[in-house]
Amino acid sequence: MSLSLNVLLYALYRTFISKRLSRSLQELEKLQARINTVVPKRRDRVYMKLSKDIKRYNNAVYFYSLLQSMVLLALYMIGLFLVFSMNFVLYFPFYVPLLTVRIEGRNVLVEGPLLLYILSFLVFTPLSLRRPKANIS
């Protein structure tokens, strides 16, 4: 379930957020290159002229990153409610104290669906929150 939620988030990211985020990062790189081409004496003055644009594009990058994170949290909350409504048993191949209970000769994972969901959250979250990197120094 967690994998499908992450694939859904990745699809949303690729269709809506990725292009806008990349465009903002490219504009920031262009502004940084423009500042770097100016001689050091005039660099502060050019930076002051471009500071509003730099702030605007930085805010756009922060907004799209926040939007992606909030959508991820919303999808995981929906998934968590779905996991709580499911009732199935997960078996573990061997006995682990505090994690498994032996029932009818089989090792049943205590709160298995919830533990599996939390583990998949930890595994797949870094994959779904990947963002392009800016080459700004």
Side-chain angles (χ1 to χ4, degrees), residues 1 82-91 108-117:
M1 176 184 296
L82 290 175
V83 165
F84 280 140
S85 67
M86 292 179 184
N87 191 11
F88 58 91
V89 178
L90 286 175
Y91 297 104
V108 176
L109 196 59
V110 177
E111 296 295 333
L114 182 62
L115 289 175
L116 183 67
Y117 187 74

Side-chain angles (χ1 to χ4, degrees), residues 12-28:
L12 288 171
Y13 169 74
R14 291 299 291 179
T15 55
F16 297 115
I17 299 173
S18 177
K19 293 174 187 171
R20 293 178 178 105
L21 188 61
S22 295
R23 192 177 325 128
S24 296
L25 289 173
Q26 286 174 354
E27 289 298 323
L28 279 172

